[in-house]
Amino acid sequence: MSGLAAASYLTSTGEAVQFWILAVVAVAGALGAVLMKKAVHSALCLAGTMIVLAVFYLANGAYFLGVVQIVVYTGAIMMLFLFVVMLVGVTAADSLKETIKGQRLLAGLCALGFGVLLTAGIANAALRDFDGLGQANAGGNVQGLAALLFTKYVFAFEITGALLITAAVGAMVLTHRERTGPAATQRELAERRVRGGKQLPPLPAPGVYARHNAVDIPGLLPDGTPSELTVNPTLRARGQIRDVSGEALAELAALEQRSEDWLERDKRRAGERTEEGAK
Amino acid sequence: MENLIGTLVLVPLLGAGVLLCGGRRLDRAGHWIGTFAAALSFVIGVVLFADMLGRSGEDRELAATVFSWVPVGGFRADVGFQLDQLSMTFVLLITGVGSLIHLYSVGYMAHDERRRRFFGYLNLFLAAMLLLVLADNYLLLYVGWEGVGLASYLLIGFWQHKPSAATAAKKAFLVNRVGDMGLSIAIMLMFTTFGTFAFGPVLENADKAGEGRLTAIGLLLLLAACGKSAQVPLQSWLGDAMEGPTPVSALIHAATMVTAGVYLITRSGAIFDGAPDAQTAVVTVGAVTLLFGAIVGCAKDDIKKALAGSTMSQIGYMVLAAGLGPIGYPFAIMHLVTHGFFKAGLFLGAGSVMHAMNDEVDMRRYGGLRRYMPITFVTFGLGYLAIIGFPGLSGFFSKDKIIEAAFAKGGTEGWILGGAALLGAAITAYYMTRVMLLTFFGEKRWQPAPSPEEPGAEPAAETRGEGRMPHPHESPKVMTIPMIVLAAGSVLAGGLFSLNDAFLTWLEPVTGHEEGHSPVTAVQVTTATLVVLFVGVALAWAQYGRRPVPVTAPPGSLPVRIARRDLLQDDINHIVLVRGGEHLTRSLVYVDHTLVDGVVNGTAAAVGGLSGRMRRLQNGFARSYAVSMFGGAAVLIAATLLMRAV
Amino acid sequence: MNPVNYLYLAALLFTIGATGVLIRRNAIVIFMCVELMLNACNLAFVTFSRMHGNLDGQIIAFFTMVVAAAEVVVGLAIIVTIFRSRHSASVDDAGLLKL
């Protein structure tokens, strides 16, 4: 960071070390975002990359942007992504098998060519003069940005305001569903349930008839079999249900054994009774 | 007097307009209106003629420009009339014979429902024909030329309910188009050569144009004349044109319209004088046609078609004479006028006979009519004597002069032409005698009416009844009077014209005249003519007069059958034009299908095939499109780098 | 170290993000890859800003973030709408316009 203050051609060694370590992390995160099967994992990888980028912003003297990157981008936008991922089905793992013939090959070729050309372009560019931001950030990075934003870029800034409002309205319009009839009242809903032959009382809570009350353990019916109704189908879909019916039956057997031990007399009497009966 | 020239055309034109637009309320008086218009026109012609006679030979020409027709920049086409001796001759012939035939038609068409329309067309014809002969430039002449073509078409197909008439009208129109095309191209050539198409400047400057140009114009004018005057090779329409009512055949297809070609050649004399090759073509056409028509006339049993062959042949004489140059022009016109008289008379006589015989046209079913139709017999007979050139009658004078002029052409050519003309005279005598004998002499060979379909002069079919024998009777006066007048003309015209060479002197200022150097004397020619005339008549009498005539035509030898088929004119046309056209069309269709369509379809198929391939790129996957975008971005970067490198 | 390395890193991240856009079918993941590309651009802008010694590049990066936020809002809304009607977030399934 200290190297930023003076205009110099090279950065400090510390920054170099930081760059080489974090660049690897960033690329790994980016590759993970592209290659992970589950969208949640992709999102997390991307969040990691973004945090690394935030660090790079800070290293490059863009303190405001670095903070915004973490707060807005990683904090807000990526969380929005996660929400949507949850909404559309967090369970579904994407198949990475390509269905369009030649798509992967073409994409690879284009990416290779593009990357090579871009790199070549950067290498070719005349980037000898390296000023550093010491002077520009002298009055504080945020103050400098603000001065530019509200003078030179004030119109663009205002227009982004309009853009954001439009986007907000657009999102509302897109997700809004027009109601075509009057909303059903509670009474109507209840009648519909009765007519439809659905379960009228509330569903049994998990573990009600078992001796556990965890949400992932289904309740047991009187005959000891687990009830489908007592656990969330999502958990079932994920395979996260613990079946405790066998355990419960074993416990029941143990209980009976204990009570028989305690009621040994009765057992004997019962045996006598049997003998008398035989006579 | 100049103002009267316009009225000559205007009167029949108005008559046609009134009759054709007047509607049914004119049905009862229409024929008299038409006849009156024709007669008035004739009277005007006579007045002008008297006026013209009052002046000396060189001052007789009158000119009247009515209005400027197409004034465009340096181009000027006027509606202007020119009345000189040549036009005057035609005016008197057209209006005179025309009036007589109008009068005749009053009787002939008495029972036709569409008589008013018929007279309207006749008046239209008169107007167009007068315009043709009075025009002072070729463009206006062309208008008249097309006008008579239209009138001819309308009148040939007047009984349009008969498919044969409709077809004949179409045929006449189409064949005439070929000639008309020649005339229009000739006019265009004239305009490029002389910068105008007024007769005066064109004919005065004709000798200044190159001979090649004059030959081209002359040949094109000859083509036009061939079409209109039914000369070989455009002769095929005239025989079929006899499907029209007989007065039409008499007026248009014998006396006037078909002679328009002769008028055109005579009028354009200066052009032909400068183009000997074109003149040779003209005399060749004339000589061939006069023999062609005569031979066809011998073979036909249909009285009108026999007369049509005769017309063709006689016009061949005129064309021959016109092709001889100044030696022949006056005689061509003189024969034209006398022919107008006797041929119109013959046709009217034929019409009268048909009228009496339930519209029967087959001469083999006539016979012995002289006792039943004395007036027709006498007038027809006088016309007959005139056409074969019986001494003292008009044909004798005019035809004799043409034969003389043909010999006067000189050299081998003169002998050939003179020989052909003499031979034609013999054949003329033969076939006309045949017509005469078959129709008026011999025993009755009448047949019951074949079918009640024949339209026209006869009353409605139910009153006639099928299979009714004809009851020949003399025609009403309204029909016989024109025949008598025309017969008188046939007898007297030639003599009057030849008296002191009156006709020659009359026409000389216009057409010029020079005496040929004939290798044979006039007396020799006349003698020879009379000899062949006698031979022809004797042959015909030996064949048709002495022994009974079979009612159905004998099969005949090959030449006879060929002659009955009009010397294969339609077959030749069919083979050369129709088959040729079909082959051309077929090959063009083939070219069109393979080459043109191949290119077009090939292009379409190539585009379609390419699109089919390209379509695969549009596979509906957004990611594929993204790849192309990404690739495009890469290409853009590459291009930018390349540009920088360069 | 030459700060140009930041640019190389940005180029690499951008390419990785673009490849992800091309090969992934899940619309949400694609969206995330787009975000990765935008971030790579931002890194480049910030680096440029440092190299040139002025703050304009950072301003641009700031605007990019704003626009990205707006885009994410609308894009995710679209994805949710599509998912509601088609029960799939795969971009390959949304091919209604294809013949």
Side-chain angles (χ1 to χ4, degrees):
Chain A
M1 292 278 173
S2 57
L4 298 179
S8 60
Y9 184 68
L10 291 176
T11 57
S12 66
T13 314
E15 196 188 342
V17 171
Q18 183 202 40
F19 174 81
W20 289 116
I21 294 171
L22 289 184
V24 172
V25 175
V27 171
L31 287 174
V34 170
L35 297 176
M36 284 292 179
K37 272 189 163 188
K38 291 193 174 182
V40 180
H41 296 166
S42 288
L44 290 174
C45 288
L46 189 63
T49 303
M50 285 180 171
I51 289 171
V52 171
L53 287 179
V55 174
F56 284 153
Y57 292 172
L58 293 171
N60 277 326
Y63 308 119
F64 178 68
L65 282 185
V67 173
V68 168
Q69 172 83 359
I70 290 174
V71 174
V72 175
Y73 236 118
T74 320
I77 294 182
M78 286 318 295
M79 291 315 111
L80 190 58
F81 267 106
L82 282 174
F83 269 124
V84 173
V85 168
M86 298 297 174
L87 199 62
V88 302
V90 73
T91 62
D94 289 355
S95 162
L96 285 182
K97 193 169 157 52
E98 185 54 62
T99 48
I100 306 174
K101 203 174 131 195
Q103 170 79 7
R104 200 157 276 185
L105 179 70
L106 277 174
L109 280 178
C110 284
L112 192 66
F114 191 84
V116 166
L117 285 166
L118 214 52
T119 313
I122 294 167
N124 265 336
L127 296 169
R128 296 298 169 202
D129 293 331
F130 177 37
D131 295 335
L133 283 170
Q135 207 177 344
N137 274 348
N141 178 251
V142 177
Q143 284 84 348
L145 281 179
L148 270 178
L149 202 56
F150 293 110
T151 54
K152 191 175 172 186
Y153 293 101
V154 67
F155 282 112
F157 184 66
E158 293 296 333
I159 290 168
T160 45
L163 177 70
L164 285 172
I165 288 182
T166 313
V169 172
M172 282 196 284
V173 168
L174 277 171
T175 50
H176 176 69
R177 264 194 250 188
E178 194 66 43
R179 200 182 282 285
T180 53
T185 61
Q186 200 163 5
R187 184 182 181 81
E188 284 167 344
L189 287 174
E191 282 170 358
R192 204 180 297 164
R193 277 166 78 87
V194 173
R195 291 216 182 87
K198 294 240 177 92
Q199 169 132 3
L200 290 178
L203 289 173
V208 166
Y209 302 112
R211 281 157 211 173
H212 297 267
N213 55 0
V215 288
D216 59 345
I217 296 175
L220 296 177
L221 296 176
D223 60 349
T225 53
S227 167
E228 296 284 325
L229 296 170
T230 51
V231 288
N232 192 329
T234 309
L235 292 177
R236 185 184 306 286
R238 287 187 195 163
Q240 287 175 333
I241 298 175
R242 274 198 287 157
D243 188 1
V244 292
S245 57
E247 201 180 324
L249 287 174
E251 277 182 19
L252 196 63
L255 183 69
E256 281 183 350
Q257 183 63 45
R258 274 207 306 280
S259 50
E260 270 187 18
D261 287 347
W262 188 67
L263 295 172
E264 207 170 352
R265 186 169 48 94
D266 293 340
K267 194 183 176 184
R268 198 171 56 240
R269 200 167 55 195
E272 285 169 4
R273 231 179 252 155
T274 316
E275 285 168 13
E276 283 169 10
K279 285 170 187 175
Chain B
M1 276 301 146
E2 280 87 350
N3 296 338
L4 270 183
I5 304 175
T7 55
L8 264 179
V9 180
L10 200 61
V11 166
L13 192 64
L14 275 178
V18 166
L19 288 174
L20 292 178
C21 305
R24 288 169 188 239
R25 70 190 82 111
L26 291 179
D27 270 354
R28 299 178 71 189
H31 47 292
W32 291 117
I33 295 175
T35 312
F36 175 74
L40 185 60
S41 194
F42 178 61
V43 169
I44 297 169
V46 170
V47 169
L48 284 167
F49 180 59
D51 175 65
M52 187 179 273
L53 282 181
R55 279 171 283 141
S56 66
E58 300 298 328
D59 302 333
R60 282 179 172 166
E61 186 174 327
L62 283 181
T65 300
V66 181
F67 60 91
S68 189
W69 181 19
V70 193
V72 181
F75 176 90
R76 263 182 78 80
D78 292 340
V79 172
F81 296 123
Q82 167 186 349
L83 186 70
D84 56 10
Q85 289 90 329
L86 182 61
S87 306
M88 194 71 239
T89 313
F90 271 91
V91 165
L92 289 178
L93 176 72
I94 294 161
T95 54
V97 175
S99 302
L100 290 174
I101 287 172
H102 272 76
L103 190 62
Y104 177 88
S105 303
V106 171
Y108 190 83
M109 303 297 280
H111 303 292
D112 199 290
E113 288 175 359
R114 297 160 71 229
R115 182 167 60 169
R116 172 183 56 83
R117 188 181 292 270
F118 179 80
F119 277 86
Y121 291 157
L122 276 188
N123 271 359
L124 178 67
F125 168 77
L126 278 191
M129 190 74 202
L130 288 169
L131 186 65
L132 198 165
V133 297
L134 285 172
D136 74 345
N137 62 66
Y138 280 99
L139 199 63
L140 195 59
L141 178 144
Y142 188 70
V143 175
W145 190 270
E146 293 293 339
V148 294
L150 169 70
S152 161
Y153 168 79
L154 291 171
L155 286 166
I156 294 171
F158 185 72
W159 287 325
Q160 57 207 209
H161 51 85
K162 281 200 297 184
S164 57
T167 315
K170 205 189 293 173
K171 185 177 180 182
F173 200 78
L174 287 177
V175 176
N176 266 302
R177 295 312 311 167
V178 180
D180 297 349
M181 196 184 65
L183 182 56
S184 58
I185 297 173
I187 293 174
M188 295 173 203
L189 267 182
M190 273 176 210
F191 187 72
T192 56
T193 311
F194 303 106
T196 175
F197 22 62
F199 287 149
V202 169
L203 299 177
E204 276 162 26
N205 297 322
D207 48 348
K208 295 190 186 105
E211 190 183 323
R213 193 50 87 90
L214 286 182
T215 308
I217 296 175
L219 288 176
L220 287 166
L221 289 176
L222 174 64
L223 181 66
C226 282
K228 196 59 85 190
S229 296
Q231 300 294 293
V232 176
L234 298 179
Q235 81 288 5
S236 65
W237 64 273
L238 187 62
D240 292 332
M242 296 302 129
E243 289 292 341
T246 307
V248 173
S249 309
L251 177 61
I252 300 182
H253 305 119
T256 54
M257 186 193 86
V258 285
T259 59
V262 181
Y263 170 77
L264 184 68
I265 293 173
T266 311
R267 178 59 86 190
S268 314
I271 290 172
F272 284 96
D273 291 345
D277 291 341
Q279 275 189 322
T280 310
V282 173
V283 291
T284 310
V285 164
V288 169
T289 310
L290 82 87
L291 292 175
F292 187 101
I295 293 169
V296 170
C298 296
K300 289 291 180 188
D301 289 332
D302 180 328
I303 185 169
K304 284 181 72 179
K305 292 201 170 169
L307 289 177
S310 160
T311 303
M312 212 186 282
S313 169
Q314 298 303 314
I315 297 170
Y317 273 107
M318 299 171 211
V319 171
L320 170 62
L324 295 173
I327 317 174
Y329 292 139
F331 304 123
I333 301 301
M334 183 165 141
H335 191 57
L336 194 155
V337 175
T338 55
H339 174 256
F341 282 119
F342 58 69
K343 186 52 65 65
L346 286 171
F347 263 110
L348 293 190
S352 175
V353 169
M354 284 160 58
H355 200 61
M357 297 294 287
N358 291 350
D359 285 321
E360 178 63 66
V361 290
D362 190 346
M363 291 187 287
R364 290 181 185 276
R365 296 179 179 180
Y366 293 165
L369 285 175
R370 65 179 184 280
R371 265 165 292 162
Y372 299 91
M373 311 176 71
I375 301 176
T376 305
F377 169 62
V378 171
T379 54
F380 197 92
L382 288 173
Y384 155 74
L385 290 177
I387 193 173
I388 64 173
F390 193 79
L393 275 72
S394 59
F396 169 76
F397 294 104
S398 55
K399 201 191 286 180
D400 214 37
K401 293 283 188 197
I402 291 179
I403 298 172
E404 261 178 57
F407 277 113
K409 175 85 175 167
T412 324
E413 215 183 341
W415 283 106
I416 294 173
L417 295 175
L422 266 183
L423 183 59
I427 305 176
T428 306
Y430 171 79
Y431 68 72
M432 283 315 298
T433 312
R434 174 173 175 268
V435 170
M436 198 67 195
L437 290 173
L438 283 178
T439 306
F440 291 104
F441 294 89
E443 72 277 27
K444 296 186 230 174
R445 298 181 300 276
W446 307 341
Q447 300 286 311
S451 69
E453 286 174 354
E454 301 298 326
E458 281 301 308
E462 58 266 25
T463 62
R464 193 149 44 120
E466 195 163 349
R468 210 189 96 183
M469 285 299 281
H471 287 282
H473 52 277
E474 191 49 83
S475 298
K477 284 220 171 61
V478 77
M479 286 166 73
T480 52
I481 289 171
M483 288 155 64
I484 294 167
V485 174
L486 286 172
S490 314
V491 174
L492 301 174
L496 281 176
F497 289 166
S498 296
L499 210 61
N500 297 330
D501 283 338
F503 197 76
L504 207 56
T505 327
W506 161 254
L507 267 188
E508 201 176 345
V510 182
T511 59
H513 178 66
E514 53 188 60
E515 291 293 334
H517 306 287
S518 183
V520 286
T521 63
V523 177
Q524 282 170 328
V525 170
T526 308
T527 317
T529 314
L530 288 177
V531 168
V532 298
L533 162 65
F534 176 74
V535 170
V537 172
L539 262 178
W541 188 76
Q543 203 171 350
Y544 296 100
R546 267 193 334 177
R547 39 183 196 206
V549 179
V551 172
T552 48
S557 60
L558 185 65
V560 171
R561 285 203 300 260
I562 289 176
R564 279 189 193 141
R565 284 182 71 91
D566 298 313
L567 292 178
L568 303 179
Q569 60 185 16
D570 290 331
D571 305 84
I572 289 168
N573 282 351
H574 187 77
I575 289 166
V576 174
L577 299 176
V578 179
R579 290 272 175 75
E582 276 172 359
H583 282 299
L584 184 66
T585 312
R586 226 171 275 145
S587 49
L588 284 179
V589 165
Y590 178 76
V591 168
D592 187 50
H593 276 180
T594 52
L595 204 69
V596 179
D597 285 8
V599 169
V600 172
N601 292 343
T603 311
V607 171
L610 207 60
S611 309
R613 302 272 152 71
M614 298 283 279
R615 194 182 68 87
R616 305 241 176 99
L617 294 178
Q618 299 284 328
N619 54 8
F621 292 116
R623 292 188 297 137
S624 290
Y625 306 156
V627 166
S628 45
M629 277 172 67
F630 194 46
V635 171
L636 277 181
I637 293 175
T640 315
L641 288 180
L642 269 179
M643 292 308 290
R644 277 175 56 99
V646 172
Chain C
M1 186 196 75
N2 192 326
V4 171
N5 287 338
Y6 284 114
L7 297 181
Y8 290 129
L9 176 64
L12 186 57
L13 291 180
F14 188 91
T15 310
I16 291 172
T19 314
V21 170
L22 298 186
I23 62 175
R24 293 306 295 259
R25 279 193 295 272
N26 189 329
I28 300 167
V29 178
I30 287 179
F31 236 103
M32 289 194 268
C33 292
V34 170
E35 292 302 318
L36 180 60
M37 291 161 77
L38 287 168
N39 272 289
C41 292
N42 278 354
L43 179 59
F45 275 125
V46 169
T47 309
F48 286 140
S49 169
R50 181 184 182 189
M51 287 175 155
H52 290 295
N54 60 35
L55 294 174
D56 291 46
Q58 294 187 16
I59 295 283
I60 299 296
F62 171 75
F63 280 130
T64 309
M65 283 182 187
V66 175
V67 172
E71 177 219 340
V72 163
V73 168
V74 177
L76 288 178
I78 291 173
I79 290 172
V80 169
T81 312
I82 290 177
F83 184 79
R84 258 193 219 150
S85 59
R86 305 184 69 81
H87 298 285
S88 163
S90 169
V91 291
D92 287 359
D93 290 347
L96 284 177
L97 284 180
K98 184 173 177 276
L99 192 67

